[in-house]
Amino acid sequence: MTLQQLRCIVAMVRNNLNVSETAVALHTSQPGVSRHIRQLEDELGVALFERSGRQVTAITAAGHDVIRVAESVLAGAEDIRSLGRQHSDPHAGELRLATTHTQARYVLPGIVRAFTDRWPRVDIHIHQGTPAQMARMVESGEVDFVIATEGEHHYDALAMLPCSRWHRAIVVPPGHALEKLAAIGSLTLEALAAYPIVTYVFGFTGRSRLDRAFHARALVPDVVLTATDADVIKTYVRTGLGVGLIARMAIEAGADDDLVALDASHLFESSVTHIGMRPRRALRPFMHDFIERFAPHLTPALVDAALSAPTPEKRARLFDEIALPER
Amino acid sequence: MTLQQLRCIVAMVRNNLNVSETAVALHTSQPGVSRHIRQLEDELGVALFERSGRQVTAITAAGHDVIRVAESVLAGAEDIRSLGRQHSDPHAGELRLATTHTQARYVLPGIVRAFTDRWPRVDIHIHQGTPAQMARMVESGEVDFVIATEGEHHYDALAMLPCSRWHRAIVVPPGHALEKLAAIGSLTLEALAAYPIVTYVFGFTGRSRLDRAFHARALVPDVVLTATDADVIKTYVRTGLGVGLIARMAIEAGADDDLVALDASHLFESSVTHIGMRPRRALRPFMHDFIERFAPHLTPALVDAALSAPTPEKRARLFDEIALPER
DNA sequence: GCCGCTTACGCCATTCGTAAGGATC
DNA sequence: GATCCTTACGAATGGCGTAAGCGGC
């Protein structure tokens, strides 16, 4: 039994039981993967995958059990490498994030600034992508963390820890009719639905909550333009294309003073930002520090407890009593 | 990083940081071990062992952390092999025990009989040895379980689960003076100490409890002969050499009717029999079944909980509330 | 001077990738 | 016919063991 064999069977699951894809993902040849799987099966004396002819079609019961353990073995090997880096130089390393534009542009800058002051020799890489892409980046180990607010179902295989609760705002040019409605407390979903709307692309930054709110009132919003980032949205609001609907944290004092922001937290359910990572994996000290700066209630002890929780349910229970900061 | 490298560093700890001994234990050459350690250190970029010149003298902080994780990785690899055996044939396998003569001769026969009826294709191997030898056999994986009542300090690295509480008996030829004392309830340690005693060798079958009881009363027992097993002791009692002091469970109806057994549970502290195994290791179903037959309170769920407990303290706490059967 | 670890070297086993072959949809 | 996995084969890497070297105790 070798670690490479275990890598193959684990990667097979993440690659639709397709040997060729798995080979690409592992940067090796396809016969190599095929051989490793067969050798491991020979050594264990039991088939791990079901085959119809030459096609790999399913995972056997034995395969399920073995792959589960193999994942933890590989996680352990990864932890050992991480320990090596940590001890060889505790103050140097990489922090690789995948996140959305909203976080990268409006939330992270202050945190990253303080973080780099404390850890000058840790390099930070911020990747952007769709929820599905970001999930894959974390699962494959390409990045350490994903910070996300949408697309929960993509993140089933990850430990998602709640970080903060955030609300929405409506942005309009000064003098807009909605501004007057807001002033007298009459800003409703119905009023909003009367105007063309500019907001996030579906699947990004809590967009689903937004659609759900309209749908619950049997309203059909007239979404004339969508974008993945609030800067673009605000730009079109400035041109008079429509009413902007964005995260409250995406409004900057100074730069956005030419627009009027109206609180919309009573119109839409709040959303929760999560930080996601691979479970059962040890974090380096600077990673713990980053998480704690991003969400002060996520202490190293709590995060470690969450990461070592045997099931997602037990993990979730750790956060039942915790009040999230609001943004 | 290879599993073999991890095996080397883990084995180093169990072999006094001695590369040559480690090589023997791993059935390989000494330069091989040396190379593997150095290569792993190179890959991780940190020294795992401290060296004074060429001598390996200590484990570094990094080494401690890495070895701890390496142990769990190797345990996982072992679990995978075990899963293979289990799925390839759930009803066949080996159950390898290390225990003392008392258990093997007087306690296990009934249990083994019922067990083999249920698992006819599981081969049972019973090894005997001193506590130190038995501990090594389990640690090295040579046997699966040790059943022991003495020499706790040898078993620090194992998960020791309490099985049953047992008491002592005095065996004498019929008509012995102690028999009369017992009949009138006057059997005391002082009375016992007046006679030559035949009992277990030091380090076996709760012998230390016995010495402690005499010592607490400032008595010096006249131990004229010791043996590792009760059969030998009873034989010498029959020849009139002295008074036998053995485990109550070592007295058989029928075979021992020519001797008189006097209860001595009020004279000596009771002892607890433990079953020991390597922690953080999955057990096969028939192993769980064996344990439960041996100690009905040790359900598979409880055993699994104990084996996955992070510290010996947490493991011990699982048994705080549990009443042990008495023998 | 002995013991113990490291380095050097040669052999062998294993692995890996390319190329061809067979099965399935 | 296209896709996908397996088998076959040759090159190369790496592991292993023997033998020699070197540093502490």
Side-chain angles (χ1 to χ4, degrees):
Chain A
M1 183 189 313
T2 68
L3 291 172
Q4 184 70 352
Q5 291 170 347
L6 301 184
R7 253 175 239 124
C8 287
I9 60 167
V10 168
M12 277 287 279
V13 181
R14 297 227 172 287
N15 290 279
N16 314 312
L17 304 183
N18 183 313
V19 178
S20 311
E21 283 182 39
T22 302
V24 174
L26 293 178
H27 307 106
T28 181
S29 73
Q30 176 263 353
V33 174
S34 187
R35 244 193 322 259
H36 274 137
I37 294 171
R38 197 156 283 279
Q39 282 174 343
L40 184 58
E41 288 180 322
D42 286 349
E43 180 178 342
L44 298 181
V46 62
L48 302 176
F49 298 102
E50 283 176 13
R51 298 165 172 83
S52 90
R54 307 209 154 190
Q55 234 76 341
V56 177
T57 55
I59 309 174
T60 63
H64 268 115
D65 290 355
V66 169
I67 287 166
R68 171 205 220 76
V69 180
E71 281 175 339
S72 83
V73 168
L74 293 175
E78 201 49 58
D79 284 351
I80 289 175
R81 274 184 267 272
S82 171
L83 281 170
R85 287 191 289 274
Q86 180 169 324
H87 281 279
S88 71
D89 190 345
H91 300 288
E94 289 190 334
L95 184 71
R96 301 161 304 169
L97 305 174
T99 186
T100 58
H101 179 269
T102 307
Q103 297 293 327
R105 170 77 176 72
Y106 299 103
V107 182
L108 290 179
I111 292 161
V112 167
R113 180 60 178 276
F115 179 84
T116 50
D117 282 351
R118 169 70 184 78
W119 305 94
R121 294 168 53 224
V122 173
D123 299 328
I124 301 184
H125 305 283
I126 298 182
H127 300 256
Q128 292 185 29
T130 65
Q133 289 170 337
M134 295 195 292
R136 284 191 72 86
M137 282 193 267
V138 178
E139 285 171 18
S140 70
E142 201 180 326
V143 302
D144 302 305
F145 303 111
V146 55
I147 298 173
T149 60
E150 183 80 359
E152 291 84 357
H153 62 285
H154 290 296
Y155 302 113
D156 289 344
L158 302 181
M160 298 300 288
L161 282 41
C163 294
S164 59
R165 184 173 292 284
W166 58 271
H167 303 276
R168 286 168 186 70
I170 297 166
V171 284
V172 290
H176 193 280
L178 285 179
E179 187 180 358
K180 290 158 199 129
L181 281 179
I184 60 171
S186 302
L187 187 54
T188 62
L189 270 186
E190 284 75 9
L192 181 59
Y195 294 89
I197 289 173
V198 187
T199 190
Y200 298 111
V201 171
F202 190 81
F204 280 78
T205 317
R207 168 67 193 268
S208 63
R209 285 284 156 89
L210 197 151
D211 293 325
R212 238 184 292 156
F214 282 111
H215 190 258
R217 299 284 199 94
L219 297 170
V220 180
D222 174 25
V223 179
V224 292
L225 187 141
T226 61
T228 54
D229 77 75
D231 279 338
V232 174
I233 295 171
K234 286 184 286 190
T235 301
Y236 283 95
V237 170
R238 288 193 177 92
T239 69
L241 184 70
V243 172
L245 199 43
I246 60 177
R248 206 160 67 182
M249 57 195 160
I251 293 160
E252 287 183 305
D256 295 335
D257 289 351
D258 58 334
L259 291 175
V260 176
L262 311 173
D263 181 41
S265 55
H266 60 298
L267 301 181
F268 304 98
E269 256 186 283
S270 62
S271 290
V272 174
T273 301
H274 289 79
I275 185 163
M277 61 205 83
R278 295 206 277 187
R280 282 168 301 177
R281 187 155 276 114
L283 299 184
R284 297 189 54 178
F286 66 77
M287 294 175 174
H288 274 302
D289 184 53
F290 176 83
I291 294 175
E292 204 167 3
R293 287 173 194 272
F294 186 70
H297 62 284
L298 292 181
T299 58
L302 180 59
V303 173
D304 281 340
L307 288 179
S308 60
T311 65
E313 291 70 34
K314 295 216 172 175
R315 192 151 55 225
R317 205 163 304 153
L318 292 170
F319 300 100
D320 280 350
E321 308 280 300
I322 292 182
L324 299 178
E326 310 248 336
R327 281 223 172 85
Chain B
M1 183 189 314
T2 67
L3 290 171
Q4 185 70 351
Q5 289 170 348
L6 301 184
R7 254 174 239 126
C8 286
I9 60 168
V10 168
M12 278 287 280
V13 180
R14 297 226 170 287
N15 289 278
N16 314 310
L17 305 182
N18 182 313
V19 178
S20 310
E21 281 182 39
T22 303
V24 174
L26 294 178
H27 306 108
T28 182
S29 72
Q30 176 265 350
V33 174
S34 186
R35 246 194 322 260
H36 275 137
I37 294 171
R38 195 157 285 276
Q39 282 174 344
L40 184 58
E41 288 180 323
D42 285 350
E43 180 179 342
L44 298 180
V46 60
L48 302 176
F49 297 101
E50 282 176 13
R51 297 165 172 83
S52 90
R54 307 209 154 191
Q55 234 78 343
V56 177
T57 56
I59 308 174
T60 64
H64 268 115
D65 290 355
V66 169
I67 287 166
R68 173 205 215 74
V69 180
E71 282 175 340
S72 82
V73 168
L74 294 175
E78 201 49 56
D79 284 351
I80 289 175
R81 272 185 268 270
S82 170
L83 281 170
R85 286 190 289 272
Q86 179 170 327
H87 281 279
S88 71
D89 191 344
H91 300 289
E94 289 191 334
L95 183 72
R96 301 162 304 170
L97 306 174
T99 185
T100 58
H101 178 269
T102 306
Q103 297 292 327
R105 169 78 177 73
Y106 298 104
V107 182
L108 291 179
I111 293 162
V112 166
R113 180 58 178 276
F115 179 85
T116 51
D117 283 351
R118 168 71 185 78
W119 306 94
R121 292 167 55 225
V122 172
D123 300 327
I124 301 184
H125 305 283
I126 298 181
H127 300 254
Q128 293 186 30
T130 65
Q133 287 170 338
M134 295 195 292
R136 285 192 72 88
M137 283 192 265
V138 178
E139 285 171 18
S140 70
E142 199 179 327
V143 302
D144 303 304
F145 304 111
V146 56
I147 298 174
T149 60
E150 181 79 0
E152 290 85 357
H153 64 283
H154 290 296
Y155 302 112
D156 289 344
L158 302 181
M160 299 298 290
L161 281 44
C163 295
S164 59
R165 185 173 291 285
W166 57 272
H167 302 275
R168 286 168 184 72
I170 296 166
V171 283
V172 290
H176 193 279
L178 285 178
E179 185 181 358
K180 290 156 198 131
L181 281 179
I184 59 170
S186 302
L187 186 54
T188 62
L189 272 186
E190 284 76 9
L192 181 58
Y195 295 89
I197 290 173
V198 186
T199 190
Y200 298 110
V201 171
F202 190 79
F204 281 78
T205 317
R207 167 67 193 269
S208 64
R209 285 283 158 90
L210 198 151
D211 292 324
R212 239 185 290 156
F214 282 110
H215 189 259
R217 299 284 198 95
L219 297 169
V220 181
D222 174 24
V223 178
V224 292
L225 186 140
T226 62
T228 55
D229 76 76
D231 280 339
V232 173
I233 296 171
K234 286 184 286 190
T235 301
Y236 282 95
V237 170
R238 289 191 177 94
T239 68
L241 184 69
V243 172
L245 200 42
I246 60 179
R248 207 161 67 183
M249 56 197 162
I251 294 161
E252 286 183 305
D256 296 334
D257 289 350
D258 59 332
L259 292 175
V260 177
L262 312 173
D263 181 41
S265 55
H266 60 297
L267 301 181
F268 303 99
E269 256 187 283
S270 63
S271 290
V272 174
T273 300
H274 289 78
I275 185 164
M277 61 206 83
R278 293 206 278 188
R280 283 169 301 177
R281 187 155 278 118
L283 299 184
R284 297 189 55 179
F286 66 75
M287 293 174 174
H288 275 302
D289 183 54
F290 175 82
I291 294 174
E292 205 168 0
R293 286 173 194 271
F294 186 70
H297 63 284
L298 292 181
T299 59
L302 179 60
V303 173
D304 280 340
L307 287 180
S308 61
T311 64
E313 291 71 31
K314 296 216 171 175
R315 193 151 55 224
R317 207 163 304 151
L318 292 170
F319 301 99
D320 280 351
E321 308 280 301
I322 292 182
L324 298 179
E326 310 249 335
R327 282 222 173 86

PDB file of all heavy atoms in Angstrom, chain B residues 7-29:
ATOM      1  N   ARG B   7       6.972   4.851   9.113  1.00  0.00           N
ATOM      2  CA  ARG B   7       7.202   3.682   9.956  1.00  0.00           C
ATOM      3  C   ARG B   7       8.532   3.808  10.689  1.00  0.00           C
ATOM      4  O   ARG B   7       8.649   3.477  11.861  1.00  0.00           O
ATOM      5  CB  ARG B   7       7.218   2.417   9.078  1.00  0.00           C
ATOM      6  CG  ARG B   7       5.974   1.558   9.222  1.00  0.00           C
ATOM      7  CD  ARG B   7       5.989   0.415   8.226  1.00  0.00           C
ATOM      8  NE  ARG B   7       4.824   0.484   7.371  1.00  0.00           N
ATOM      9  CZ  ARG B   7       4.830   0.497   6.063  1.00  0.00           C
ATOM     10  NH1 ARG B   7       5.962   0.412   5.404  1.00  0.00           N
ATOM     11  NH2 ARG B   7       3.705   0.584   5.388  1.00  0.00           N
ATOM     12  N   CYS B   8       9.539   4.297   9.976  1.00  0.00           N
ATOM     13  CA  CYS B   8      10.870   4.415  10.577  1.00  0.00           C
ATOM     14  C   CYS B   8      10.860   5.377  11.763  1.00  0.00           C
ATOM     15  O   CYS B   8      11.350   5.050  12.841  1.00  0.00           O
ATOM     16  CB  CYS B   8      11.889   4.883   9.537  1.00  0.00           C
ATOM     17  SG  CYS B   8      12.338   3.616   8.347  1.00  0.00           S
ATOM     18  N   ILE B   9      10.301   6.561  11.563  1.00  0.00           N
ATOM     19  CA  ILE B   9      10.385   7.527  12.663  1.00  0.00           C
ATOM     20  C   ILE B   9       9.536   7.074  13.851  1.00  0.00           C
ATOM     21  O   ILE B   9       9.911   7.283  15.000  1.00  0.00           O
ATOM     22  CB  ILE B   9       9.993   8.950  12.220  1.00  0.00           C
ATOM     23  CG1 ILE B   9       8.559   8.989  11.692  1.00  0.00           C
ATOM     24  CG2 ILE B   9      10.972   9.477  11.182  1.00  0.00           C
ATOM     25  CD1 ILE B   9       8.032  10.393  11.524  1.00  0.00           C
ATOM     26  N   VAL B  10       8.410   6.424  13.571  1.00  0.00           N
ATOM     27  CA  VAL B  10       7.577   5.950  14.677  1.00  0.00           C
ATOM     28  C   VAL B  10       8.300   4.826  15.414  1.00  0.00           C
ATOM     29  O   VAL B  10       8.309   4.777  16.646  1.00  0.00           O
ATOM     30  CB  VAL B  10       6.207   5.485  14.152  1.00  0.00           C
ATOM     31  CG1 VAL B  10       5.452   4.725  15.226  1.00  0.00           C
ATOM     32  CG2 VAL B  10       5.400   6.682  13.689  1.00  0.00           C
ATOM     33  N   ALA B  11       8.918   3.933  14.646  1.00  0.00           N
ATOM     34  CA  ALA B  11       9.615   2.814  15.279  1.00  0.00           C
ATOM     35  C   ALA B  11      10.818   3.291  16.080  1.00  0.00           C
ATOM     36  O   ALA B  11      11.186   2.676  17.085  1.00  0.00           O
ATOM     37  CB  ALA B  11      10.047   1.804  14.220  1.00  0.00           C
ATOM     38  N   MET B  12      11.427   4.384  15.636  1.00  0.00           N
ATOM     39  CA  MET B  12      12.577   4.926  16.369  1.00  0.00           C
ATOM     40  C   MET B  12      12.208   5.213  17.825  1.00  0.00           C
ATOM     41  O   MET B  12      12.984   4.943  18.743  1.00  0.00           O
ATOM     42  CB  MET B  12      13.068   6.209  15.696  1.00  0.00           C
ATOM     43  CG  MET B  12      13.964   5.970  14.509  1.00  0.00           C
ATOM     44  SD  MET B  12      15.607   5.401  14.983  1.00  0.00           S
ATOM     45  CE  MET B  12      16.366   6.970  15.442  1.00  0.00           C
ATOM     46  N   VAL B  13      11.032   5.778  18.016  1.00  0.00           N
ATOM     47  CA  VAL B  13      10.614   6.134  19.371  1.00  0.00           C
ATOM     48  C   VAL B  13      10.499   4.888  20.235  1.00  0.00           C
ATOM     49  O   VAL B  13      10.907   4.880  21.397  1.00  0.00           O
ATOM     50  CB  VAL B  13       9.269   6.873  19.332  1.00  0.00           C
ATOM     51  CG1 VAL B  13       8.822   7.254  20.726  1.00  0.00           C
ATOM     52  CG2 VAL B  13       9.377   8.094  18.442  1.00  0.00           C
ATOM     53  N   ARG B  14       9.978   3.810  19.644  1.00  0.00           N
ATOM     54  CA  ARG B  14       9.766   2.584  20.408  1.00  0.00           C
ATOM     55  C   ARG B  14      11.057   1.775  20.533  1.00  0.00           C
ATOM     56  O   ARG B  14      11.048   0.693  21.096  1.00  0.00           O
ATOM     57  CB  ARG B  14       8.716   1.701  19.735  1.00  0.00           C
ATOM     58  CG  ARG B  14       7.360   2.308  19.642  1.00  0.00           C
ATOM     59  CD  ARG B  14       6.261   1.335  20.062  1.00  0.00           C
ATOM     60  NE  ARG B  14       4.999   2.029  20.188  1.00  0.00           N
ATOM     61  CZ  ARG B  14       4.690   2.867  21.170  1.00  0.00           C
ATOM     62  NH1 ARG B  14       5.560   3.097  22.153  1.00  0.00           N
ATOM     63  NH2 ARG B  14       3.532   3.488  21.210  1.00  0.00           N
ATOM     64  N   ASN B  15      12.131   2.267  19.959  1.00  0.00           N
ATOM     65  CA  ASN B  15      13.392   1.535  20.021  1.00  0.00           C
ATOM     66  C   ASN B  15      14.526   2.409  20.535  1.00  0.00           C
ATOM     67  O   ASN B  15      15.649   2.360  20.033  1.00  0.00           O
ATOM     68  CB  ASN B  15      13.733   0.951  18.644  1.00  0.00           C
ATOM     69  CG  ASN B  15      12.807  -0.197  18.270  1.00  0.00           C
ATOM     70  OD1 ASN B  15      12.996  -1.315  18.690  1.00  0.00           O
ATOM     71  ND2 ASN B  15      11.794   0.114  17.484  1.00  0.00           N
ATOM     72  N   ASN B  16      14.174   3.243  21.523  1.00  0.00           N
ATOM     73  CA  ASN B  16      15.190   4.031  22.233  1.00  0.00           C
ATOM     74  C   ASN B  16      16.008   4.931  21.318  1.00  0.00           C
ATOM     75  O   ASN B  16      17.170   5.180  21.582  1.00  0.00           O
ATOM     76  CB  ASN B  16      16.135   3.117  22.992  1.00  0.00           C
ATOM     77  CG  ASN B  16      15.392   2.047  23.765  1.00  0.00           C
ATOM     78  OD1 ASN B  16      14.460   2.353  24.496  1.00  0.00           O
ATOM     79  ND2 ASN B  16      15.789   0.804  23.559  1.00  0.00           N
ATOM     80  N   LEU B  17      15.412   5.385  20.227  1.00  0.00           N
ATOM     81  CA  LEU B  17      16.114   6.267  19.281  1.00  0.00           C
ATOM     82  C   LEU B  17      17.374   5.591  18.757  1.00  0.00           C
ATOM     83  O   LEU B  17      18.363   6.265  18.460  1.00  0.00           O
ATOM     84  CB  LEU B  17      16.439   7.607  19.941  1.00  0.00           C
ATOM     85  CG  LEU B  17      15.240   8.359  20.539  1.00  0.00           C
ATOM     86  CD1 LEU B  17      15.701   9.693  21.102  1.00  0.00           C
ATOM     87  CD2 LEU B  17      14.180   8.572  19.482  1.00  0.00           C
ATOM     88  N   ASN B  18      17.318   4.300  18.669  1.00  0.00           N
ATOM     89  CA  ASN B  18      18.476   3.539  18.225  1.00  0.00           C
ATOM     90  C   ASN B  18      18.205   3.028  16.803  1.00  0.00           C
ATOM     91  O   ASN B  18      17.318   2.204  16.575  1.00  0.00           O
ATOM     92  CB  ASN B  18      18.691   2.373  19.203  1.00  0.00           C
ATOM     93  CG  ASN B  18      19.904   1.565  18.856  1.00  0.00           C
ATOM     94  OD1 ASN B  18      20.087   1.204  17.700  1.00  0.00           O
ATOM     95  ND2 ASN B  18      20.730   1.303  19.834  1.00  0.00           N
ATOM     96  N   VAL B  19      18.966   3.534  15.856  1.00  0.00           N
ATOM     97  CA  VAL B  19      18.717   3.201  14.454  1.00  0.00           C
ATOM     98  C   VAL B  19      18.905   1.703  14.197  1.00  0.00           C
ATOM     99  O   VAL B  19      18.122   1.078  13.482  1.00  0.00           O
ATOM    100  CB  VAL B  19      19.639   4.024  13.522  1.00  0.00           C
ATOM    101  CG1 VAL B  19      19.412   3.631  12.072  1.00  0.00           C
ATOM    102  CG2 VAL B  19      19.375   5.500  13.712  1.00  0.00           C
ATOM    103  N   SER B  20      19.930   1.127  14.801  1.00  0.00           N
ATOM    104  CA  SER B  20      20.209  -0.292  14.552  1.00  0.00           C
ATOM    105  C   SER B  20      19.066  -1.164  15.057  1.00  0.00           C
ATOM    106  O   SER B  20      18.573  -2.041  14.334  1.00  0.00           O
ATOM    107  CB  SER B  20      21.509  -0.693  15.249  1.00  0.00           C
ATOM    108  OG  SER B  20      22.529   0.225  14.933  1.00  0.00           O
ATOM    109  N   GLU B  21      18.643  -0.920  16.297  1.00  0.00           N
ATOM    110  CA  GLU B  21      17.515  -1.687  16.840  1.00  0.00           C
ATOM    111  C   GLU B  21      16.271  -1.507  15.986  1.00  0.00           C
ATOM    112  O   GLU B  21      15.539  -2.460  15.720  1.00  0.00           O
ATOM    113  CB  GLU B  21      17.188  -1.219  18.265  1.00  0.00           C
ATOM    114  CG  GLU B  21      18.109  -1.756  19.334  1.00  0.00           C
ATOM    115  CD  GLU B  21      17.667  -1.267  20.711  1.00  0.00           C
ATOM    116  OE1 GLU B  21      16.443  -1.201  20.960  1.00  0.00           O
ATOM    117  OE2 GLU B  21      18.557  -0.931  21.529  1.00  0.00           O
ATOM    118  N   THR B  22      16.039  -0.264  15.574  1.00  0.00           N
ATOM    119  CA  THR B  22      14.861   0.027  14.764  1.00  0.00           C
ATOM    120  C   THR B  22      14.890  -0.783  13.480  1.00  0.00           C
ATOM    121  O   THR B  22      13.869  -1.334  13.049  1.00  0.00           O
ATOM    122  CB  THR B  22      14.802   1.521  14.443  1.00  0.00           C
ATOM    123  OG1 THR B  22      14.799   2.259  15.659  1.00  0.00           O
ATOM    124  CG2 THR B  22      13.556   1.857  13.648  1.00  0.00           C
ATOM    125  N   ALA B  23      16.076  -0.867  12.881  1.00  0.00           N
ATOM    126  CA  ALA B  23      16.206  -1.624  11.639  1.00  0.00           C
ATOM    127  C   ALA B  23      15.834  -3.083  11.852  1.00  0.00           C
ATOM    128  O   ALA B  23      15.109  -3.678  11.060  1.00  0.00           O
ATOM    129  CB  ALA B  23      17.636  -1.501  11.115  1.00  0.00           C
ATOM    130  N   VAL B  24      16.307  -3.645  12.957  1.00  0.00           N
ATOM    131  CA  VAL B  24      15.963  -5.039  13.263  1.00  0.00           C
ATOM    132  C   VAL B  24      14.455  -5.178  13.432  1.00  0.00           C
ATOM    133  O   VAL B  24      13.826  -6.085  12.877  1.00  0.00           O
ATOM    134  CB  VAL B  24      16.702  -5.503  14.538  1.00  0.00           C
ATOM    135  CG1 VAL B  24      16.226  -6.892  14.946  1.00  0.00           C
ATOM    136  CG2 VAL B  24      18.198  -5.483  14.301  1.00  0.00           C
ATOM    137  N   ALA B  25      13.875  -4.241  14.191  1.00  0.00           N
ATOM    138  CA  ALA B  25      12.436  -4.323  14.451  1.00  0.00           C
ATOM    139  C   ALA B  25      11.633  -4.235  13.155  1.00  0.00           C
ATOM    140  O   ALA B  25      10.572  -4.836  13.032  1.00  0.00           O
ATOM    141  CB  ALA B  25      12.019  -3.213  15.412  1.00  0.00           C
ATOM    142  N   LEU B  26      12.140  -3.467  12.204  1.00  0.00           N
ATOM    143  CA  LEU B  26      11.413  -3.291  10.946  1.00  0.00           C
ATOM    144  C   LEU B  26      11.839  -4.319   9.890  1.00  0.00           C
ATOM    145  O   LEU B  26      11.397  -4.246   8.733  1.00  0.00           O
ATOM    146  CB  LEU B  26      11.628  -1.876  10.403  1.00  0.00           C
ATOM    147  CG  LEU B  26      11.053  -0.736  11.244  1.00  0.00           C
ATOM    148  CD1 LEU B  26      11.381   0.611  10.614  1.00  0.00           C
ATOM    149  CD2 LEU B  26       9.545  -0.894  11.379  1.00  0.00           C
ATOM    150  N   HIS B  27      12.718  -5.241  10.282  1.00  0.00           N
ATOM    151  CA  HIS B  27      13.202  -6.260   9.356  1.00  0.00           C
ATOM    152  C   HIS B  27      13.822  -5.636   8.108  1.00  0.00           C
ATOM    153  O   HIS B  27      13.508  -6.005   6.987  1.00  0.00           O
ATOM    154  CB  HIS B  27      12.069  -7.216   8.941  1.00  0.00           C
ATOM    155  CG  HIS B  27      11.360  -7.824  10.105  1.00  0.00           C
ATOM    156  ND1 HIS B  27      10.099  -7.473  10.478  1.00  0.00           N
ATOM    157  CD2 HIS B  27      11.767  -8.743  11.012  1.00  0.00           C
ATOM    158  CE1 HIS B  27       9.740  -8.159  11.557  1.00  0.00           C
ATOM    159  NE2 HIS B  27      10.738  -8.939  11.894  1.00  0.00           N
ATOM    160  N   THR B  28      14.697  -4.701   8.342  1.00  0.00           N
ATOM    161  CA  THR B  28      15.378  -4.072   7.212  1.00  0.00           C
ATOM    162  C   THR B  28      16.798  -3.723   7.650  1.00  0.00           C
ATOM    163  O   THR B  28      17.216  -4.065   8.753  1.00  0.00           O
ATOM    164  CB  THR B  28      14.606  -2.822   6.742  1.00  0.00           C
ATOM    165  OG1 THR B  28      15.260  -2.267   5.620  1.00  0.00           O
ATOM    166  CG2 THR B  28      14.539  -1.786   7.835  1.00  0.00           C
ATOM    167  N   SER B  29      17.522  -3.065   6.769  1.00  0.00           N
ATOM    168  CA  SER B  29      18.913  -2.761   7.100  1.00  0.00           C
ATOM    169  C   SER B  29      19.011  -1.426   7.820  1.00  0.00           C
ATOM    170  O   SER B  29      18.141  -0.568   7.686  1.00  0.00           O
ATOM    171  CB  SER B  29      19.740  -2.706   5.827  1.00  0.00           C
ATOM    172  OG  SER B  29      19.429  -1.542   5.109  1.00  0.00           O
TER     173      SER B  29
END
